């Protein structure tokens, strides 16, 4: 298996994705700090406003004094929730369930701290007129550890408040991570696809070069010095042009045909009196975009299985049409039916064309070949018709 094998490229891509996962998992799972801190402040401010508003509407006495006490408690709540946020930032288990369990567990000691501050503010530092009455009622039921009972009772009621914020933070963080994973997976899939396209493209030139050198060898052995020299010049021009092209590039159909004419000039030197080429492309399709050198293996096959094994004149025809939003290109020769046709699915060239089309366009593109009605050999390919990007 070589470096251009698509299976090797896909396996390498998957390995890179898995290897990189530990590095970016934690950072992607974090919510934007401004959003997180803003949600903490907003949550406690909303609590403060709602609690104060309800107390005033109910006509509770001495509300202005309670506003100050409540403000102290809110500041303590913001501080405890911020500590919870810092803990959750640093602890990022892999699964969503583990993260949620960690968040719920981390909220317990912090809500106890908050309940303790709440007890100190309302029962010790700034007691109200009915504070002693409340303490007496609790002491009557729990004479030894009444403070602990008040703290536990307050913690149970406030735990839901902390837990809801922690659950939302974990949910948003997990959603961020899933979006980041999907983006990276898409990027790696695109990278693998481009690498595969490059590999398929780079298979064209060696294949073409091998066939051309065979033709050149034939001319040299025949003593056709002038034809061999012309072929060398044409080969140089073709390779210089094709190797300078980005394999992922799209070119217009008109430019693609111009590239193929360079190749046909090479073959014309080999078959000066036997090769006839006909191109029929409507003017409105000349600007249609196609993958660069997509026609190269097809025209090679038309010559290899048409002109080379025959002795008479052989015509090679290229036609373009559009049907149902697709650009259809057909290359055929008029070789005699007695000339054997290549077996379906064999050879590098046509398989390369089909693979390039499927890799780039998926099921909306394809390639087929076989005997034409006139007895010759045809290759037909179709791809989405587009005039943008080339």
């Amino acid at each position: 298996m070589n470096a251009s094998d698509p299976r090797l490229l896909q396996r390498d891509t998957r390995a890179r994705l898995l290897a990189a996962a530990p590095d970016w998992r934690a950072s992607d799972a974090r919510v934007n700090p401004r959003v997180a801190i803003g949600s903490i402040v907003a949550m406690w401010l909303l609590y403060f406003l709602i609690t104060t508003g309800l107390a005033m509407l109910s006509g509770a006495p001495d509300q202005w004094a309670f506003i100050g006490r409540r403000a102290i408690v809110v500041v303590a709540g913001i501080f405890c929730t911020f500590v919870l946020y810092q803990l959750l930032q640093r602890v990022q288990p892999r699964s969503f369930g583990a993260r949620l369990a960690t968040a719920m567990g981390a909220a317990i000691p912090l809500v106890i701290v908050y309940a303790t501050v709440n007890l100190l503010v309302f029962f010790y530092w700034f007691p109200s007129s009915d504070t002693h009455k409340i303490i007496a009622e609790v002491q009557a039921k729990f004479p030894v550890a009444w403070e602990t009972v008040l703290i536990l009772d307050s913690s149970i009621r406030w735990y839901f408040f902390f837990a809801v914020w922690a659950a939302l933070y974990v949910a948003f963080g997990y959603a961020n991570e899933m979006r980041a994973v999907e983006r990276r997976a898409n990027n790696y899939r695109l990278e693998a696809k481009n690498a595969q396209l490059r590999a398929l493209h780079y298979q064209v030139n060696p294949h073409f070069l091998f066939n051309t050198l065979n033709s050149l060898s034939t001319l040299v052995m025949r003593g056709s010095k002038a034809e061999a020299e012309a072929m060398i010049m044409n080969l140089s021009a073709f390779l210089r042009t094709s190797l300078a092209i980005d394999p992922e590039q799209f070119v217009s159909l008109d430019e693609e045909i111009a590239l193929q004419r360079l190749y046909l000039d090479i073959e014309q030197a080999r078959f000066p009196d036997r090769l006839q080429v006909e191109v029929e492309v409507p003017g409105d399709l000349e600007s249609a975009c196609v993958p660069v050198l997509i026609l190269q293996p097809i025209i090679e096959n038309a010559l290899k299985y048409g002109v080379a094994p025959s002795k008479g004149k052989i015509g090679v025809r290229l036609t373009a049409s559009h049907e149902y939003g697709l650009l259809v290109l057909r290359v055929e020769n008029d070789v005699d039916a007695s000339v054997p046709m290549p077996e379906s699915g064999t050879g590098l060239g046509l398989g390369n064309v089909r693979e390039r089309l499927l890799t780039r366009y998926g099921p909306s593109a394809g390639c087929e070949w076989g005997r034409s009605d006139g007895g010759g050999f045809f290759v037909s390919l179709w791809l989405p018709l587009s005039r943008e990007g080339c």
Side-chain angles (χ1 to χ4, degrees):
M1 184 179 294
N2 56 47
S4 63
D5 193 315
R7 292 173 298 174
L8 184 61
L9 291 169
Q10 292 170 0
R11 188 177 66 185
D12 180 63
T13 296
R14 182 174 60 183
R16 290 173 59 191
L17 183 62
L18 293 175
D23 297 332
W24 46 257
R25 183 183 296 274
S27 61
D28 287 334
R30 294 172 184 167
V31 180
N32 187 307
R34 292 185 179 180
V35 175
I37 296 173
S39 68
I40 294 173
V41 174
M43 179 183 71
W44 283 102
L45 182 60
L46 184 63
Y47 157 76
F48 176 81
L49 294 174
I50 292 176
T51 306
T52 302
L54 290 176
M56 288 185 173
L57 289 175
S58 65
D62 200 21
Q63 276 306 299
W64 289 110
F66 272 92
I67 288 176
R69 300 167 189 165
R70 198 173 293 121
I72 296 175
V73 172
V74 164
V75 171
I78 292 175
F79 174 77
C80 290
T81 312
F82 181 77
V83 172
L84 177 60
Y85 159 66
Q86 292 293 324
L87 290 174
L88 294 180
Q89 267 197 318
R90 286 163 173 74
V91 182
Q92 295 291 344
R94 287 181 175 247
S95 69
F96 177 78
R99 294 180 191 184
L100 190 60
T102 301
M104 298 299 101
I108 294 175
L110 292 169
V111 76
I112 292 175
V113 172
Y114 172 79
T116 302
V117 173
N118 188 72
L119 177 70
L120 292 173
V121 170
F122 284 98
F123 288 85
Y124 284 95
W125 297 343
F126 308 103
S128 62
S129 56
D130 58 348
T131 299
H132 297 291
K133 179 180 177 181
I134 296 173
I135 293 176
E137 292 176 353
V138 176
Q139 284 179 330
K141 297 180 180 180
F142 307 95
V144 178
W146 64 272
E147 296 99 336
T148 302
V149 172
L150 286 177
I151 290 174
L152 288 177
D153 178 70
S154 180
S155 297
I156 292 171
R157 289 186 285 109
W158 279 100
Y159 179 76
F160 176 77
F161 205 67
F162 280 78
V164 166
W165 183 88
L168 288 175
Y169 177 84
V170 171
F172 280 122
Y174 194 75
N176 286 346
E177 181 182 333
M178 291 302 100
R179 285 193 293 269
V181 168
E182 185 62 27
R183 284 195 304 270
R184 284 182 172 85
N186 287 335
N187 288 339
Y188 281 124
R189 282 195 292 269
L190 180 61
E191 184 179 341
K193 174 182 173 182
N194 290 338
Q196 184 176 352
L197 286 171
R198 286 178 180 273
L200 290 168
H201 173 86
Y202 290 142
Q203 287 174 350
V204 171
N205 284 325
H207 184 249
F208 154 76
L209 186 58
F210 176 78
N211 290 339
T212 304
L213 290 177
N214 277 345
S215 299
L216 184 59
S217 175
T218 301
L219 291 177
V220 172
M221 291 177 65
R222 286 194 335 217
S224 303
K225 181 179 178 182
E227 290 83 353
E229 185 177 349
M231 181 178 286
I232 292 173
M233 297 301 296
N234 289 330
L235 175 61
S236 174
F238 179 84
L239 289 178
R240 185 168 55 251
T241 303
S242 61
L243 292 175
I245 295 174
D246 184 351
E248 298 174 30
Q249 178 181 341
F250 286 93
V251 295
S252 68
L253 181 56
D254 191 45
E255 291 173 318
E256 174 69 7
I257 292 174
L259 282 172
Q260 299 315 309
R261 289 193 181 278
L262 286 175
Y263 168 70
L264 289 169
D265 287 342
I266 295 172
E267 292 299 321
Q268 197 77 51
R270 182 182 175 190
F271 308 108
D273 301 319
R274 294 172 47 206
L275 175 59
Q276 296 179 333
V277 179
E278 182 180 350
V279 178
E280 296 179 5
V281 178
D284 61 329
L285 294 181
E286 290 180 350
S287 60
C289 295
V290 296
V292 66
L293 293 179
I294 196 66
L295 293 176
Q296 177 65 38
I298 300 175
I299 293 179
E300 278 192 60
N301 271 26
L303 299 179
K304 177 180 178 181
Y305 296 105
V307 182
S310 303
K311 295 182 178 179
K313 289 187 177 180
I314 298 296
V316 175
R317 184 178 301 103
L318 167 63
T319 59
S321 61
H322 58 92
E323 302 174 9
Y324 307 105
L326 296 175
L327 172 65
V328 180
L329 301 175
R330 182 183 175 96
V331 178
E332 58 184 322
N333 58 30
D334 56 6
V335 66
D336 188 85
S338 61
V339 176
M341 185 180 73
E343 297 180 6
S344 176
T346 62
L348 174 65
L350 297 183
N352 182 289
V353 171
R354 174 178 284 173
E355 189 68 23
R356 286 183 69 189
L357 290 173
L358 290 177
T359 301
R360 186 175 290 279
Y361 298 105
S364 61
C367 178
E368 63 180 7
W369 53 84
R371 284 286 187 188
S372 60
D373 295 337
F377 187 73
F378 82 92
V379 178
S380 180
L381 64 89
W382 58 93
L383 62 153
L385 176 59
S386 173
R387 295 180 175 83
E388 297 180 359
C390 60

